[in-house]
PDB file of all heavy atoms in Angstrom:
ATOM      1  N   THR A   1     -20.342 -74.108  45.928  1.00 92.00           N
ATOM      2  CA  THR A   1     -19.454 -72.958  46.078  1.00 92.00           C
ATOM      3  C   THR A   1     -19.343 -72.259  44.716  1.00 92.00           C
ATOM      4  O   THR A   1     -19.581 -72.899  43.668  1.00 92.00           O
ATOM      5  CB  THR A   1     -18.068 -73.363  46.541  1.00 92.00           C
ATOM      6  OG1 THR A   1     -17.390 -74.133  45.564  1.00 92.00           O
ATOM      7  CG2 THR A   1     -18.144 -74.134  47.863  1.00 92.00           C
ATOM      8  N   TYR A   2     -19.029 -70.996  44.712  1.00 93.00           N
ATOM      9  CA  TYR A   2     -18.959 -70.260  43.429  1.00 93.00           C
ATOM     10  C   TYR A   2     -17.941 -70.856  42.519  1.00 93.00           C
ATOM     11  O   TYR A   2     -18.249 -71.199  41.340  1.00 93.00           O
ATOM     12  CB  TYR A   2     -18.592 -68.789  43.704  1.00 93.00           C
ATOM     13  CG  TYR A   2     -18.281 -68.053  42.361  1.00 93.00           C
ATOM     14  CD1 TYR A   2     -19.283 -67.693  41.487  1.00 93.00           C
ATOM     15  CD2 TYR A   2     -16.947 -67.730  42.030  1.00 93.00           C
ATOM     16  CE1 TYR A   2     -18.998 -67.071  40.305  1.00 93.00           C
ATOM     17  CE2 TYR A   2     -16.632 -67.060  40.846  1.00 93.00           C
ATOM     18  CZ  TYR A   2     -17.692 -66.760  39.989  1.00 93.00           C
ATOM     19  OH  TYR A   2     -17.382 -66.137  38.795  1.00 93.00           O
ATOM     20  N   TRP A   3     -16.691 -71.125  43.005  1.00 95.00           N
ATOM     21  CA  TRP A   3     -15.658 -71.611  42.112  1.00 95.00           C
ATOM     22  C   TRP A   3     -15.941 -73.078  41.710  1.00 95.00           C
ATOM     23  O   TRP A   3     -15.608 -73.484  40.544  1.00 95.00           O
ATOM     24  CB  TRP A   3     -14.305 -71.489  42.768  1.00 95.00           C
ATOM     25  CG  TRP A   3     -13.841 -70.070  42.850  1.00 95.00           C
ATOM     26  CD1 TRP A   3     -13.705 -69.274  43.974  1.00 95.00           C
ATOM     27  CD2 TRP A   3     -13.567 -69.194  41.713  1.00 95.00           C
ATOM     28  NE1 TRP A   3     -13.354 -68.020  43.660  1.00 95.00           N
ATOM     29  CE2 TRP A   3     -13.226 -67.923  42.283  1.00 95.00           C
ATOM     30  CE3 TRP A   3     -13.576 -69.373  40.355  1.00 95.00           C
ATOM     31  CZ2 TRP A   3     -12.903 -66.808  41.479  1.00 95.00           C
ATOM     32  CZ3 TRP A   3     -13.223 -68.271  39.538  1.00 95.00           C
ATOM     33  CH2 TRP A   3     -12.870 -67.034  40.123  1.00 95.00           C
ATOM     34  N   GLY A   4     -16.485 -73.871  42.566  1.00 93.00           N
ATOM     35  CA  GLY A   4     -16.770 -75.249  42.230  1.00 93.00           C
ATOM     36  C   GLY A   4     -17.950 -75.294  41.173  1.00 93.00           C
ATOM     37  O   GLY A   4     -17.847 -76.026  40.199  1.00 93.00           O
ATOM     38  N   PHE A   5     -18.946 -74.409  41.375  1.00 94.00           N
ATOM     39  CA  PHE A   5     -20.089 -74.328  40.462  1.00 94.00           C
ATOM     40  C   PHE A   5     -19.594 -73.896  39.049  1.00 94.00           C
ATOM     41  O   PHE A   5     -19.885 -74.530  38.020  1.00 94.00           O
ATOM     42  CB  PHE A   5     -21.093 -73.311  40.989  1.00 94.00           C
ATOM     43  CG  PHE A   5     -22.184 -72.949  40.053  1.00 94.00           C
ATOM     44  CD1 PHE A   5     -23.199 -73.869  39.739  1.00 94.00           C
ATOM     45  CD2 PHE A   5     -22.245 -71.639  39.531  1.00 94.00           C
ATOM     46  CE1 PHE A   5     -24.236 -73.465  38.866  1.00 94.00           C
ATOM     47  CE2 PHE A   5     -23.257 -71.295  38.662  1.00 94.00           C
ATOM     48  CZ  PHE A   5     -24.249 -72.177  38.355  1.00 94.00           C
ATOM     49  N   ILE A   6     -18.755 -72.818  39.017  1.00 95.00           N
ATOM     50  CA  ILE A   6     -18.258 -72.319  37.743  1.00 95.00           C
ATOM     51  C   ILE A   6     -17.305 -73.330  37.063  1.00 95.00           C
ATOM     52  O   ILE A   6     -17.394 -73.511  35.876  1.00 95.00           O
ATOM     53  CB  ILE A   6     -17.488 -71.004  37.995  1.00 95.00           C
ATOM     54  CG1 ILE A   6     -18.434 -69.914  38.491  1.00 95.00           C
ATOM     55  CG2 ILE A   6     -16.765 -70.493  36.719  1.00 95.00           C
ATOM     56  CD1 ILE A   6     -19.567 -69.576  37.580  1.00 95.00           C
ATOM     57  N   ALA A   7     -16.462 -73.983  37.840  1.00 93.00           N
ATOM     58  CA  ALA A   7     -15.506 -74.985  37.329  1.00 93.00           C
ATOM     59  C   ALA A   7     -16.274 -76.029  36.586  1.00 93.00           C
ATOM     60  O   ALA A   7     -15.902 -76.462  35.441  1.00 93.00           O
ATOM     61  CB  ALA A   7     -14.652 -75.558  38.408  1.00 93.00           C
ATOM     62  N   LEU A   8     -17.347 -76.591  37.174  1.00 91.00           N
ATOM     63  CA  LEU A   8     -18.111 -77.692  36.553  1.00 91.00           C
ATOM     64  C   LEU A   8     -18.750 -77.176  35.251  1.00 91.00           C
ATOM     65  O   LEU A   8     -18.756 -77.955  34.248  1.00 91.00           O
ATOM     66  CB  LEU A   8     -19.169 -78.162  37.531  1.00 91.00           C
ATOM     67  CG  LEU A   8     -18.654 -79.073  38.645  1.00 91.00           C
ATOM     68  CD1 LEU A   8     -19.746 -79.213  39.697  1.00 91.00           C
ATOM     69  CD2 LEU A   8     -18.242 -80.370  38.140  1.00 91.00           C
ATOM     70  N   ILE A   9     -19.315 -75.983  35.223  1.00 93.00           N
ATOM     71  CA  ILE A   9     -19.918 -75.427  33.983  1.00 93.00           C
ATOM     72  C   ILE A   9     -18.853 -75.207  32.901  1.00 93.00           C
ATOM     73  O   ILE A   9     -19.077 -75.610  31.733  1.00 93.00           O
ATOM     74  CB  ILE A   9     -20.634 -74.090  34.269  1.00 93.00           C
ATOM     75  CG1 ILE A   9     -21.639 -74.237  35.463  1.00 93.00           C
ATOM     76  CG2 ILE A   9     -21.395 -73.660  33.000  1.00 93.00           C
ATOM     77  CD1 ILE A   9     -22.582 -75.372  35.330  1.00 93.00           C
ATOM     78  N   VAL A  10     -17.731 -74.636  33.286  1.00 93.00           N
ATOM     79  CA  VAL A  10     -16.660 -74.351  32.302  1.00 93.00           C
ATOM     80  C   VAL A  10     -16.049 -75.636  31.761  1.00 93.00           C
ATOM     81  O   VAL A  10     -15.789 -75.697  30.566  1.00 93.00           O
ATOM     82  CB  VAL A  10     -15.589 -73.422  32.907  1.00 93.00           C
ATOM     83  CG1 VAL A  10     -14.378 -73.296  31.999  1.00 93.00           C
ATOM     84  CG2 VAL A  10     -16.198 -72.037  33.208  1.00 93.00           C
ATOM     85  N   ILE A  11     -15.828 -76.613  32.595  1.00 90.00           N
ATOM     86  CA  ILE A  11     -15.270 -77.888  32.126  1.00 90.00           C
ATOM     87  C   ILE A  11     -16.180 -78.506  31.105  1.00 90.00           C
ATOM     88  O   ILE A  11     -15.732 -79.029  30.058  1.00 90.00           O
ATOM     89  CB  ILE A  11     -15.016 -78.860  33.315  1.00 90.00           C
ATOM     90  CG1 ILE A  11     -13.888 -78.365  34.191  1.00 90.00           C
ATOM     91  CG2 ILE A  11     -14.782 -80.247  32.816  1.00 90.00           C
ATOM     92  CD1 ILE A  11     -13.726 -79.046  35.519  1.00 90.00           C
ATOM     93  N   LYS A  12     -17.508 -78.459  31.379  1.00 89.00           N
ATOM     94  CA  LYS A  12     -18.443 -79.032  30.369  1.00 89.00           C
ATOM     95  C   LYS A  12     -18.350 -78.221  29.086  1.00 89.00           C
ATOM     96  O   LYS A  12     -18.429 -78.840  27.940  1.00 89.00           O
ATOM     97  CB  LYS A  12     -19.889 -78.957  30.940  1.00 89.00           C
ATOM     98  CG  LYS A  12     -20.113 -79.961  32.048  1.00 89.00           C
ATOM     99  CD  LYS A  12     -21.441 -79.664  32.779  1.00 89.00           C
ATOM    100  CE  LYS A  12     -22.641 -79.964  31.970  1.00 89.00           C
ATOM    101  NZ  LYS A  12     -23.905 -79.757  32.749  1.00 89.00           N
ATOM    102  N   GLY A  13     -18.157 -76.995  29.151  1.00 91.00           N
ATOM    103  CA  GLY A  13     -18.035 -76.083  27.959  1.00 91.00           C
ATOM    104  C   GLY A  13     -16.785 -76.403  27.179  1.00 91.00           C
ATOM    105  O   GLY A  13     -16.829 -76.442  25.942  1.00 91.00           O
ATOM    106  N   VAL A  14     -15.725 -76.598  27.922  1.00 88.00           N
ATOM    107  CA  VAL A  14     -14.421 -76.965  27.258  1.00 88.00           C
ATOM    108  C   VAL A  14     -14.552 -78.277  26.519  1.00 88.00           C
ATOM    109  O   VAL A  14     -14.149 -78.366  25.344  1.00 88.00           O
ATOM    110  CB  VAL A  14     -13.272 -77.014  28.286  1.00 88.00           C
ATOM    111  CG1 VAL A  14     -12.002 -77.568  27.619  1.00 88.00           C
ATOM    112  CG2 VAL A  14     -13.042 -75.625  28.836  1.00 88.00           C
ATOM    113  N   PHE A  15     -15.151 -79.235  27.172  1.00 85.00           N
ATOM    114  CA  PHE A  15     -15.311 -80.530  26.519  1.00 85.00           C
ATOM    115  C   PHE A  15     -16.202 -80.423  25.277  1.00 85.00           C
ATOM    116  O   PHE A  15     -15.832 -81.021  24.225  1.00 85.00           O
ATOM    117  CB  PHE A  15     -16.023 -81.570  27.503  1.00 85.00           C
ATOM    118  CG  PHE A  15     -15.079 -82.173  28.497  1.00 85.00           C
ATOM    119  CD1 PHE A  15     -15.546 -82.990  29.530  1.00 85.00           C
ATOM    120  CD2 PHE A  15     -13.707 -81.895  28.534  1.00 85.00           C
ATOM    121  CE1 PHE A  15     -14.741 -83.533  30.443  1.00 85.00           C
ATOM    122  CE2 PHE A  15     -12.873 -82.395  29.442  1.00 85.00           C
ATOM    123  CZ  PHE A  15     -13.383 -83.244  30.457  1.00 85.00           C
ATOM    124  N   TYR A  16     -17.295 -79.726  25.413  1.00 86.00           N
ATOM    125  CA  TYR A  16     -18.201 -79.555  24.286  1.00 86.00           C
ATOM    126  C   TYR A  16     -17.554 -78.815  23.109  1.00 86.00           C
ATOM    127  O   TYR A  16     -17.766 -79.228  21.944  1.00 86.00           O
ATOM    128  CB  TYR A  16     -19.421 -78.790  24.762  1.00 86.00           C
ATOM    129  CG  TYR A  16     -20.690 -78.901  23.876  1.00 86.00           C
ATOM    130  CD1 TYR A  16     -20.774 -79.902  22.919  1.00 86.00           C
ATOM    131  CD2 TYR A  16     -21.781 -78.067  24.014  1.00 86.00           C
ATOM    132  CE1 TYR A  16     -21.890 -80.030  22.122  1.00 86.00           C
ATOM    133  CE2 TYR A  16     -22.898 -78.147  23.246  1.00 86.00           C
ATOM    134  CZ  TYR A  16     -22.960 -79.163  22.287  1.00 86.00           C
ATOM    135  OH  TYR A  16     -24.084 -79.240  21.503  1.00 86.00           O
ATOM    136  N   SER A  17     -16.734 -77.819  23.381  1.00 86.00           N
ATOM    137  CA  SER A  17     -16.029 -77.112  22.343  1.00 86.00           C
ATOM    138  C   SER A  17     -15.030 -77.967  21.565  1.00 86.00           C
ATOM    139  O   SER A  17     -14.609 -77.642  20.507  1.00 86.00           O
ATOM    140  CB  SER A  17     -15.333 -75.848  22.838  1.00 86.00           C
ATOM    141  OG  SER A  17     -14.212 -76.228  23.648  1.00 86.00           O
ATOM    142  N   MET A  18     -14.646 -79.112  22.223  1.00 81.00           N
ATOM    143  CA  MET A  18     -13.721 -80.079  21.568  1.00 81.00           C
ATOM    144  C   MET A  18     -14.458 -81.230  20.946  1.00 81.00           C
ATOM    145  O   MET A  18     -13.867 -82.218  20.543  1.00 81.00           O
ATOM    146  CB  MET A  18     -12.715 -80.591  22.609  1.00 81.00           C
ATOM    147  CG  MET A  18     -11.783 -79.473  23.115  1.00 81.00           C
ATOM    148  SD  MET A  18     -10.407 -80.097  24.078  1.00 81.00           S
ATOM    149  CE  MET A  18     -11.291 -80.919  25.407  1.00 81.00           C
ATOM    150  N   GLY A  19     -15.798 -81.142  20.925  1.00 76.00           N
ATOM    151  CA  GLY A  19     -16.590 -82.215  20.354  1.00 76.00           C
ATOM    152  C   GLY A  19     -16.810 -83.408  21.286  1.00 76.00           C
ATOM    153  O   GLY A  19     -17.212 -84.476  20.823  1.00 76.00           O
ATOM    154  N   ILE A  20     -16.475 -83.258  22.576  1.00 74.00           N
ATOM    155  CA  ILE A  20     -16.628 -84.360  23.538  1.00 74.00           C
ATOM    156  C   ILE A  20     -17.911 -84.124  24.272  1.00 74.00           C
ATOM    157  O   ILE A  20     -18.140 -83.076  24.888  1.00 74.00           O
ATOM    158  CB  ILE A  20     -15.469 -84.396  24.506  1.00 74.00           C
ATOM    159  CG1 ILE A  20     -14.141 -84.588  23.772  1.00 74.00           C
ATOM    160  CG2 ILE A  20     -15.677 -85.507  25.575  1.00 74.00           C
ATOM    161  CD1 ILE A  20     -12.928 -84.333  24.615  1.00 74.00           C
ATOM    162  N   SER A  21     -18.777 -85.094  24.266  1.00 68.00           N
ATOM    163  CA  SER A  21     -20.084 -84.947  24.897  1.00 68.00           C
ATOM    164  C   SER A  21     -19.916 -84.784  26.389  1.00 68.00           C
ATOM    165  O   SER A  21     -19.124 -85.479  27.064  1.00 68.00           O
ATOM    166  CB  SER A  21     -20.933 -86.202  24.663  1.00 68.00           C
ATOM    167  OG  SER A  21     -22.119 -86.212  25.431  1.00 68.00           O
ATOM    168  N   ALA A  22     -20.652 -83.817  26.929  1.00 68.00           N
ATOM    169  CA  ALA A  22     -20.626 -83.556  28.411  1.00 68.00           C
ATOM    170  C   ALA A  22     -21.301 -84.698  29.157  1.00 68.00           C
ATOM    171  O   ALA A  22     -21.196 -84.760  30.387  1.00 68.00           O
ATOM    172  CB  ALA A  22     -21.369 -82.263  28.711  1.00 68.00           C
ATOM    173  N   TRP A  23     -21.831 -85.631  28.449  1.00 66.00           N
ATOM    174  CA  TRP A  23     -22.449 -86.833  29.093  1.00 66.00           C
ATOM    175  C   TRP A  23     -21.359 -87.638  29.831  1.00 66.00           C
ATOM    176  O   TRP A  23     -21.687 -88.453  30.658  1.00 66.00           O
ATOM    177  CB  TRP A  23     -23.149 -87.691  28.055  1.00 66.00           C
ATOM    178  CG  TRP A  23     -24.556 -87.239  27.875  1.00 66.00           C
ATOM    179  CD1 TRP A  23     -25.038 -86.412  26.955  1.00 66.00           C
ATOM    180  CD2 TRP A  23     -25.659 -87.717  28.642  1.00 66.00           C
ATOM    181  NE1 TRP A  23     -26.384 -86.274  27.083  1.00 66.00           N
ATOM    182  CE2 TRP A  23     -26.826 -87.056  28.147  1.00 66.00           C
ATOM    183  CE3 TRP A  23     -25.857 -88.563  29.729  1.00 66.00           C
ATOM    184  CZ2 TRP A  23     -28.061 -87.231  28.643  1.00 66.00           C
ATOM    185  CZ3 TRP A  23     -27.123 -88.743  30.236  1.00 66.00           C
ATOM    186  CH2 TRP A  23     -28.255 -88.063  29.689  1.00 66.00           C
ATOM    187  N   VAL A  24     -20.074 -87.407  29.497  1.00 67.00           N
ATOM    188  CA  VAL A  24     -19.006 -88.149  30.197  1.00 67.00           C
ATOM    189  C   VAL A  24     -19.047 -87.760  31.689  1.00 67.00           C
ATOM    190  O   VAL A  24     -18.611 -88.585  32.540  1.00 67.00           O
ATOM    191  CB  VAL A  24     -17.630 -87.835  29.566  1.00 67.00           C
ATOM    192  CG1 VAL A  24     -17.192 -86.378  29.862  1.00 67.00           C
ATOM    193  CG2 VAL A  24     -16.551 -88.816  30.063  1.00 67.00           C
ATOM    194  N   LEU A  25     -19.570 -86.572  32.062  1.00 74.00           N
ATOM    195  CA  LEU A  25     -19.646 -86.131  33.424  1.00 74.00           C
ATOM    196  C   LEU A  25     -20.938 -86.463  34.097  1.00 74.00           C
ATOM    197  O   LEU A  25     -21.088 -86.262  35.346  1.00 74.00           O
ATOM    198  CB  LEU A  25     -19.354 -84.595  33.490  1.00 74.00           C
ATOM    199  CG  LEU A  25     -18.046 -84.072  32.960  1.00 74.00           C
ATOM    200  CD1 LEU A  25     -18.042 -82.561  32.956  1.00 74.00           C
ATOM    201  CD2 LEU A  25     -16.957 -84.579  33.835  1.00 74.00           C
ATOM    202  N   VAL A  26     -21.959 -86.924  33.333  1.00 75.00           N
ATOM    203  CA  VAL A  26     -23.255 -87.110  33.911  1.00 75.00           C
ATOM    204  C   VAL A  26     -23.329 -88.099  35.048  1.00 75.00           C
ATOM    205  O   VAL A  26     -24.065 -87.825  36.045  1.00 75.00           O
ATOM    206  CB  VAL A  26     -24.231 -87.582  32.760  1.00 75.00           C
ATOM    207  CG1 VAL A  26     -25.482 -88.172  33.311  1.00 75.00           C
ATOM    208  CG2 VAL A  26     -24.637 -86.385  31.896  1.00 75.00           C
ATOM    209  N   PRO A  27     -22.557 -89.174  35.058  1.00 75.00           N
ATOM    210  CA  PRO A  27     -22.595 -90.094  36.260  1.00 75.00           C
ATOM    211  C   PRO A  27     -22.216 -89.363  37.512  1.00 75.00           C
ATOM    212  O   PRO A  27     -22.656 -89.786  38.652  1.00 75.00           O
ATOM    213  CB  PRO A  27     -21.582 -91.154  35.931  1.00 75.00           C
ATOM    214  CG  PRO A  27     -21.551 -91.178  34.407  1.00 75.00           C
ATOM    215  CD  PRO A  27     -21.733 -89.827  34.000  1.00 75.00           C
ATOM    216  N   ILE A  28     -21.484 -88.274  37.495  1.00 78.00           N
ATOM    217  CA  ILE A  28     -21.075 -87.492  38.604  1.00 78.00           C
ATOM    218  C   ILE A  28     -22.085 -86.350  38.855  1.00 78.00           C
ATOM    219  O   ILE A  28     -22.567 -86.110  39.975  1.00 78.00           O
ATOM    220  CB  ILE A  28     -19.709 -86.923  38.486  1.00 78.00           C
ATOM    221  CG1 ILE A  28     -18.641 -88.065  38.351  1.00 78.00           C
ATOM    222  CG2 ILE A  28     -19.345 -85.974  39.688  1.00 78.00           C
ATOM    223  CD1 ILE A  28     -17.263 -87.599  38.014  1.00 78.00           C
ATOM    224  N   THR A  29     -22.367 -85.596  37.788  1.00 84.00           N
ATOM    225  CA  THR A  29     -23.191 -84.378  37.929  1.00 84.00           C
ATOM    226  C   THR A  29     -24.665 -84.630  38.170  1.00 84.00           C
ATOM    227  O   THR A  29     -25.320 -83.913  38.931  1.00 84.00           O
ATOM    228  CB  THR A  29     -23.039 -83.407  36.708  1.00 84.00           C
ATOM    229  OG1 THR A  29     -23.389 -84.127  35.526  1.00 84.00           O
ATOM    230  CG2 THR A  29     -21.566 -82.994  36.601  1.00 84.00           C
ATOM    231  N   MET A  30     -25.255 -85.614  37.473  1.00 83.00           N
ATOM    232  CA  MET A  30     -26.701 -85.828  37.515  1.00 83.00           C
ATOM    233  C   MET A  30     -27.224 -86.160  38.986  1.00 83.00           C
ATOM    234  O   MET A  30     -28.159 -85.549  39.433  1.00 83.00           O
ATOM    235  CB  MET A  30     -27.165 -86.913  36.549  1.00 83.00           C
ATOM    236  CG  MET A  30     -28.627 -87.158  36.543  1.00 83.00           C
ATOM    237  SD  MET A  30     -29.584 -85.722  35.984  1.00 83.00           S
ATOM    238  CE  MET A  30     -29.414 -85.808  34.241  1.00 83.00           C
ATOM    239  N   PRO A  31     -26.527 -87.056  39.696  1.00 85.00           N
ATOM    240  CA  PRO A  31     -27.018 -87.307  41.093  1.00 85.00           C
ATOM    241  C   PRO A  31     -26.923 -86.067  41.917  1.00 85.00           C
ATOM    242  O   PRO A  31     -27.786 -85.841  42.772  1.00 85.00           O
ATOM    243  CB  PRO A  31     -26.064 -88.420  41.573  1.00 85.00           C
ATOM    244  CG  PRO A  31     -25.578 -89.112  40.327  1.00 85.00           C
ATOM    245  CD  PRO A  31     -25.466 -88.022  39.334  1.00 85.00           C
ATOM    246  N   ILE A  32     -25.894 -85.242  41.774  1.00 87.00           N
ATOM    247  CA  ILE A  32     -25.736 -84.010  42.565  1.00 87.00           C
ATOM    248  C   ILE A  32     -26.846 -83.023  42.196  1.00 87.00           C
ATOM    249  O   ILE A  32     -27.507 -82.471  43.126  1.00 87.00           O
ATOM    250  CB  ILE A  32     -24.384 -83.351  42.259  1.00 87.00           C
ATOM    251  CG1 ILE A  32     -23.232 -84.283  42.736  1.00 87.00           C
ATOM    252  CG2 ILE A  32     -24.295 -82.052  43.035  1.00 87.00           C
ATOM    253  CD1 ILE A  32     -21.850 -83.773  42.284  1.00 87.00           C
ATOM    254  N   MET A  33     -27.153 -82.868  40.941  1.00 89.00           N
ATOM    255  CA  MET A  33     -28.206 -81.963  40.486  1.00 89.00           C
ATOM    256  C   MET A  33     -29.576 -82.393  41.013  1.00 89.00           C
ATOM    257  O   MET A  33     -30.368 -81.584  41.472  1.00 89.00           O
ATOM    258  CB  MET A  33     -28.213 -81.887  38.939  1.00 89.00           C
ATOM    259  CG  MET A  33     -27.131 -81.083  38.377  1.00 89.00           C
ATOM    260  SD  MET A  33     -27.299 -80.938  36.588  1.00 89.00           S
ATOM    261  CE  MET A  33     -26.503 -79.330  36.242  1.00 89.00           C
ATOM    262  N   LEU A  34     -29.849 -83.701  40.867  1.00 85.00           N
ATOM    263  CA  LEU A  34     -31.162 -84.147  41.315  1.00 85.00           C
ATOM    264  C   LEU A  34     -31.373 -84.098  42.821  1.00 85.00           C
ATOM    265  O   LEU A  34     -32.425 -83.750  43.322  1.00 85.00           O
ATOM    266  CB  LEU A  34     -31.365 -85.619  40.821  1.00 85.00           C
ATOM    267  CG  LEU A  34     -31.510 -85.785  39.301  1.00 85.00           C
ATOM    268  CD1 LEU A  34     -31.610 -87.239  38.922  1.00 85.00           C
ATOM    269  CD2 LEU A  34     -32.767 -85.070  38.766  1.00 85.00           C
ATOM    270  N   ALA A  35     -30.294 -84.409  43.538  1.00 86.00           N
ATOM    271  CA  ALA A  35     -30.375 -84.260  45.034  1.00 86.00           C
ATOM    272  C   ALA A  35     -30.554 -82.825  45.421  1.00 86.00           C
ATOM    273  O   ALA A  35     -31.270 -82.464  46.375  1.00 86.00           O
ATOM    274  CB  ALA A  35     -29.102 -84.839  45.622  1.00 86.00           C
ATOM    275  N   GLY A  36     -29.873 -81.922  44.668  1.00 89.00           N
ATOM    276  CA  GLY A  36     -29.957 -80.497  44.915  1.00 89.00           C
ATOM    277  C   GLY A  36     -31.390 -79.968  44.788  1.00 89.00           C
ATOM    278  O   GLY A  36     -31.930 -79.222  45.588  1.00 89.00           O
ATOM    279  N   ILE A  37     -32.053 -80.359  43.640  1.00 88.00           N
ATOM    280  CA  ILE A  37     -33.387 -79.782  43.404  1.00 88.00           C
ATOM    281  C   ILE A  37     -34.364 -80.450  44.340  1.00 88.00           C
ATOM    282  O   ILE A  37     -35.368 -79.791  44.742  1.00 88.00           O
ATOM    283  CB  ILE A  37     -33.823 -79.965  41.919  1.00 88.00           C
ATOM    284  CG1 ILE A  37     -35.054 -79.193  41.638  1.00 88.00           C
ATOM    285  CG2 ILE A  37     -34.049 -81.423  41.619  1.00 88.00           C
ATOM    286  CD1 ILE A  37     -34.898 -77.659  41.840  1.00 88.00           C
ATOM    287  N   GLU A  38     -34.111 -81.702  44.770  1.00 85.00           N
ATOM    288  CA  GLU A  38     -34.976 -82.360  45.742  1.00 85.00           C
ATOM    289  C   GLU A  38     -34.975 -81.607  47.030  1.00 85.00           C
ATOM    290  O   GLU A  38     -35.995 -81.439  47.717  1.00 85.00           O
ATOM    291  CB  GLU A  38     -34.523 -83.801  45.932  1.00 85.00           C
ATOM    292  CG  GLU A  38     -35.574 -84.660  46.636  1.00 85.00           C
ATOM    293  CD  GLU A  38     -35.196 -86.115  46.653  1.00 85.00           C
ATOM    294  OE1 GLU A  38     -34.270 -86.533  47.398  1.00 85.00           O
ATOM    295  OE2 GLU A  38     -35.841 -86.944  45.927  1.00 85.00           O
ATOM    296  N   ALA A  39     -33.812 -81.166  47.461  1.00 88.00           N
ATOM    297  CA  ALA A  39     -33.634 -80.343  48.722  1.00 88.00           C
ATOM    298  C   ALA A  39     -34.358 -78.962  48.564  1.00 88.00           C
ATOM    299  O   ALA A  39     -34.945 -78.487  49.516  1.00 88.00           O
ATOM    300  CB  ALA A  39     -32.181 -80.199  49.072  1.00 88.00           C
ATOM    301  N   ASN A  40     -34.276 -78.390  47.347  1.00 89.00           N
ATOM    302  CA  ASN A  40     -34.967 -77.117  47.091  1.00 89.00           C
ATOM    303  C   ASN A  40     -36.472 -77.286  47.186  1.00 89.00           C
ATOM    304  O   ASN A  40     -37.151 -76.462  47.782  1.00 89.00           O
ATOM    305  CB  ASN A  40     -34.581 -76.590  45.731  1.00 89.00           C
ATOM    306  CG  ASN A  40     -33.153 -76.049  45.616  1.00 89.00           C
ATOM    307  OD1 ASN A  40     -32.427 -76.122  46.624  1.00 89.00           O
ATOM    308  ND2 ASN A  40     -32.801 -75.485  44.485  1.00 89.00           N
TER     309      ASN A  40
END
């Protein structure tokens, strides 16, 4: 969804701007991303 997609990107940006690696979200985001491109 638009707001879900944007929220995930912005949250990663907020973390990064505070010096927190976005890798903290990878266990959640990576499986979703890989499943998404597999469907594409």
